[in-house]
Each structure stands twice: as structure tokens, then as C-alpha cells.
């Protein structure tokens, strides 16, 4: 059974949702027969490349609230992250993530997607490192087991894996995904948002049972 997860690396609920999904998957009896594929989705595709803003300023502008209210919003997300066993900081940058997704597609092609995704999430949410510094991306790529020279070549070539990112985004639109995280289980069930772990376990069981009925038909 395949589970596809559309997400953006700067999305806190994608970060939390991934952890909760993995907890739910661990409680699923047939977890060893589940293939997980991560797909690209940009929360802010129109944000100018190379331009970064503090995330609290972005939230205040996006939701038209005072910065203090944006801080309160972040504090609630931080509590959810802590409950999932994740580090979380609010003094991070926000920017265009297209290059990050292109690098994740290189990692997918080399069988190191999850390793890179974990390092990028940690860099963005738990560590004092900006995803919008190419050196951060290259360091994470090397840590995930990618060839640093190949990773640099991808970042330097704006066309490299660009179509792969856009194809994921077109597919998300076709499936009706307007927000992330968005989980598609065996192309039978969809789960939106960073749901509790037990919800993911239940959805996995339902998708598994449906697949068995289909095979027996």
C-alpha cells in the first residue's frame, strides 16, 4: 500500500503531521507493507526567490494581526510540536521553497528522500539554520548521503527537477488539495492536516481493508 504525502518544508503542521503520521504508522499491523512517498507543495510559490522575512512578520502580514497575536499563534504550534517530541523555534525565516523541493527530488532519485527531509525539517524548525542559505541545503544534502557536488549542481541549475516539483503540484491540484499536509492512502482515502496519530492508524486500517476487498473481488 502506498501513502503519498504532499507538504512544504516551511509548513509547521507538515512537520508535526509527519511525526504524528509516523506514530500512527508504527501502530499499524501492516506497516512493513506501506510505501511512503513525499511530494512537493509550495505554500507561497509567488514569494520572490532570494527574499526572506522573519516568520512572525509573515504571519502578521498574512493574517492581518498584530505581531503579538502572531507570537501567540506560534506558541500554540510550539506546544503541539513539543507534544510530538519535536524541537521548535519561531525565530526562523520564511521564503520561496522551490529550490528546496528540487533538492528533495534529487534525494528521491537517489533513495535518500526521507533522510534529507528529516534534516531539512530539523534545520528549519529546531536549529538556528536558514533553509534559504545554500550552504544549509548543501550541508543537509551531504548529511543525507548525497554527493555534495551533485547537490550543488542541482541548486545551480534552475531547470533541474523543476518539472518534477510542478508535476507534484499539478497532481495535488487535481486531487483537490488546497492546503498541506495532505495524505493520500492507496489513492482511496485522503487525510488533511496534522491529525492525531490514532486518526492516521484508523485511516491506514480502512485503506488496507478496502484494498483487500478489492483484491478479493
Amino acid at each position: 500500500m502506498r501513502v503519498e504525502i504532499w507538504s512544504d518544508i516551511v509548513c509547521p503542521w507538515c512537520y508535526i503531521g509527519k511525526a504524528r503520521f509516523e506514530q500512527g504508522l508504527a501502530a499499524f499491523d501492516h506497516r512493513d507493507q506501506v510505501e511512503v512517498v513525499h511530494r512537493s507543495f509550495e505554500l507561497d510559490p509567488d514569494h520572490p526567490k532570494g527574499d526572506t522575512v522573519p516568520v512572525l512578520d509573515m504571519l502578521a502580514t498574512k493574517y492581518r494581526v498584530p505581531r503579538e497575536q502572531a507570537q501567540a499563534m506560534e506558541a500554540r504550534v510550539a506546544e503541539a510540536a513539543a507534544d510530538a517530541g519535536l524541537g521548535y523555534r519561531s525565530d526562523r525565516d520564511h521564503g520561496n521553497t522551490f529550490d528546496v523541493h528540487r533538492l528533495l527530488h534529487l534525494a528521491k532519485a537517489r533513495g535518500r528522500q526521507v533522510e534529507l527531509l528529516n534534516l531539512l525539517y530539523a534545520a528549519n524548525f529546531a536549529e538556528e539554520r536558514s533553509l534559504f542559505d545554500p550552504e544549509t541545503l548543501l550541508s543537509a544534502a551531504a548529511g543525507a548521503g548525497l554527493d555534495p557536488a551533485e547537490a550543488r549542481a542541482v541548486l545551480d541549475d534552475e531547470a533541474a527537477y523543476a518539472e518534477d516539483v510542478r508535476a507534484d503540484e499539478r497532481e495535488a491540484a487535481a486531487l483537490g488539495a488546497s492546503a498541506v499536509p495532505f495524505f493520500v492512502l492507496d489513492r482511496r482515502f485522503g487525510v488533511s492536516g496534522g491529525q492525531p496519530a490514532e486518526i492516521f492508524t484508523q485511516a491506514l486500517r480502512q485503506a488496507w481493508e478496502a484494498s483487500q476487498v478489492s483484491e478479493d473481488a
Side-chain angles (χ1 to χ4, degrees), residues 202-214:
Q202 180 182 354
L204 286 162
R205 288 172 179 158
Q206 289 177 336
W208 179 267
E209 290 168 2
S211 70
Q212 299 308 298
V213 170
S214 178

Side-chain angles (χ1 to χ4, degrees), residues 17-94:
K18 177 178 177 295
R20 290 177 173 177
F21 169 77
E22 289 170 350
Q23 292 167 1
L25 179 62
F28 178 54
D29 291 340
H30 305 284
R31 56 188 173 275
D32 293 340
Q33 298 180 59
V34 176
E35 175 193 11
V36 179
V37 177
H38 294 275
R39 299 200 180 278
S40 298
F41 189 102
E42 294 173 272
L43 282 178
D44 198 358
D46 296 326
H47 192 97
K49 183 179 177 180
D51 176 51
T52 61
V53 296
V55 72
L56 289 174
D57 291 347
M58 180 277 292
L59 290 171
T61 300
K62 179 178 179 179
Y63 294 107
R64 299 180 181 180
V65 299
R67 201 169 191 274
E68 293 74 17
Q69 190 171 338
Q71 289 176 320
M73 293 164 59
E74 274 286 282
R76 289 192 290 272
V77 180
E79 289 181 6
D83 287 343
L86 301 171
Y88 194 87
R89 65 186 184 89
S90 296
D91 59 336
R92 60 188 191 276
D93 295 329
H94 177 81

Side-chain angles (χ1 to χ4, degrees), residues 142-166:
L146 297 175
D147 179 347
E150 185 177 28
R152 186 179 292 277
V154 167
L155 291 179
D156 289 344
D157 178 3
E158 294 185 356
Y161 295 100
E163 178 54 28
D164 298 82
V165 177
R166 295 187 181 105

Side-chain angles (χ1 to χ4, degrees), residues 53-197:
V53 296
V55 72
L56 289 174
D57 291 347
M58 180 277 292
L59 290 171
T61 300
K62 179 178 179 179
Y63 294 107
R64 299 180 181 180
V65 299
R67 201 169 191 274
E68 293 74 17
Q69 190 171 338
Q71 289 176 320
M73 293 164 59
E74 274 286 282
R76 289 192 290 272
V77 180
E79 289 181 6
D83 287 343
L86 301 171
Y88 194 87
R89 65 186 184 89
S90 296
D91 59 336
R92 60 188 191 276
D93 295 329
H94 177 81
N96 187 292
T97 56
F98 194 71
D99 285 348
V100 183
H101 286 294
R102 293 194 301 109
L103 196 61
L104 281 164
H105 274 280
L106 167 65
K108 179 182 177 182
R110 300 293 177 263
R112 310 300 296 175
Q113 186 186 42
V114 173
E115 290 81 359
L116 180 58
L117 187 63
N118 288 339
L119 289 171
L120 293 174
Y121 271 140
N124 188 58
F125 289 105
E127 303 166 2
E128 294 184 7
R129 295 193 293 157
S130 174
L131 290 182
F132 309 103
D133 178 353
E135 295 308 314
T136 297
L137 298 182
L138 292 170
S139 174
L146 297 175
D147 179 347
E150 185 177 28
R152 186 179 292 277
V154 167
L155 291 179
D156 289 344
D157 178 3
E158 294 185 356
Y161 295 100
E163 178 54 28
D164 298 82
V165 177
R166 295 187 181 105
D168 277 355
E169 293 175 337
R170 287 195 298 269
E171 195 161 7
L175 290 169
S178 58
V180 285
F182 185 63
F183 302 77
V184 176
L185 289 71
D186 212 27
R187 290 296 169 112
R188 298 173 185 273
F189 298 94
V191 179
S192 297
Q195 300 292 336

